[in-house]
Structures are given as C-alpha cells and as structure tokens.
Amino acid sequence: MADRIYNVLFLCTGNSARSVMAESILNELGKGRFKAFSAGSHPAGRVNPYTIEQLKKQGHPVAHLSSKSWSEFEKPDAPRMDMIITVCDNAAGEVCPVWPGKPVTAHWGFEDPAAFDGPDDAKRAKFHAIYLEIVARVRLLLSFPVERLDRLALEGKLRSIGKSTHGVGA
C-alpha cells in the first residue's frame, strides 16, 4: 500500500489556469505518491500563456499540459481517480459526471487569475499569487498520511485544505 500512487483530477470550468497549475505542481511535488490530471467542464482549448509562463519560471515542465474536457476522464480506458478537486467556484456548482470508483471529492476555491484585467505586469503578479496559493494547499495535501486514512477521513482532510488559509498566499 505504501507504494500506491494516488490519481488526482483537478477540475475547473476552462482548464486553462488554476487546474493546470495544480496538476503541474502536484505532479512535481508529489512525484512517486500522486499522479495529477486536470480538465474542465467547458475547456478553453488552450492553456493560458500566463500559466505557462508562471510554471516555466518556477521550473515546472509544461510540454505535456493541455486544456481538455472532463469527458476524457469518463472513458472506460481513462485512469481511475482517487480524488477529484474542484478549484473554481463555477465547477464546484456544476453537476459533475459520476466518476468510477467513487473518488473522494473536495473544493479548493481560488480566484481566477485569467479573469484579472490589468497591465501585463499586474497579470503576472496575479498568476504568481495564485500559484503560491496552490503550492501551499498542495503542500498541505502532501503532509497527510493519505495511505493511512480511510475514505471519510481523507475527504475531511481534503475539504479542510480548501477552507485553509494558513500559508496560502504567503
């Protein structure tokens, strides 16, 4: 059980910023324990250029990132998810598909940096701030002994991360 890798799907409406950042961050920081994916209910069709810029600046690989529909994860050959985490309020309010295996679910709301309107430097600063918030929450997830938690305890821990502001935005 200690060698098990947990699949995590981050959902957002457009799948161009927050969910993609969360996928990239968890794949790097949780390598060997977690495999992250991201998708959207109404994908933008491309990853936001500021997302790519921020991730590259922080040393994350970006070649594999794409904006895709959550319907890709409903297919029979799709990876089975252990956790589904919505990262935007719109996706949290939508009717999600019924995921095979009944993964635990949680909501980690983040402001949408793609919706920020301002000069380029201000947009970069907004993307950086959201990046730091996501890193803080991913680090909280990584601090939990996931392999020793039952389903109910894990769901409670995941949901508590979404309510946490400790270290978020620091």
Side-chain angles (χ1 to χ4, degrees):
M1 193 75 162
D3 292 337
R4 178 169 180 214
I5 295 178
Y6 293 87
N7 288 331
V8 181
L9 178 60
F10 290 99
L11 295 178
C12 200
T13 304
N15 188 224
S16 71
R18 296 163 287 185
S19 53
V20 174
M21 281 195 264
E23 172 188 3
S24 183
I25 293 164
L26 183 57
N27 275 332
E28 184 167 325
L29 298 180
K31 193 170 192 158
R33 283 183 70 202
F34 294 92
K35 173 68 178 147
F37 305 86
S38 69
S41 57
H42 299 91
R46 71 180 179 100
V47 176
N48 186 295
Y50 291 101
T51 300
I52 297 294
E53 182 180 301
Q54 181 60 222
L55 290 170
K56 278 184 175 179
K57 185 178 178 181
Q58 301 301 327
H60 297 277
V62 297
H64 67 285
L65 299 175
S66 66
S67 176
K68 60 205 150 302
S69 173
W70 64 19
S71 65
E72 289 191 27
F73 295 94
E74 294 177 284
K75 296 176 182 177
D77 62 339
R80 188 178 199 140
M81 294 302 144
D82 297 296
M83 300 167 220
I84 308 276
I85 301 171
T86 55
V87 294
C88 71
D89 294 335
N90 290 343
E94 292 187 54
V95 176
C96 290
V98 176
W99 303 105
K102 297 187 179 184
V104 296
T105 61
H107 176 64
W108 297 358
F110 299 102
E111 185 180 349
D112 184 2
F116 180 79
D117 191 24
D120 286 350
D121 285 346
K123 286 180 184 178
R124 285 182 179 93
K126 179 58 76 177
F127 273 79
H128 181 67
I130 299 305
Y131 170 86
L132 292 176
E133 289 181 21
I134 295 170
V135 166
R137 289 190 179 163
V138 165
R139 287 189 189 283
L140 286 172
L141 169 60
L142 295 172
S143 73
F144 295 140
V146 175
E147 58 282 345
R148 291 191 304 234
L149 298 173
D150 65 26
R151 179 177 165 42
L152 190 58
L154 177 58
E155 193 159 74
K157 294 281 190 188
L158 281 178
R159 290 180 178 185
S160 73
I161 290 172
K163 295 175 184 163
S164 173
T165 56
H166 175 72
V168 176

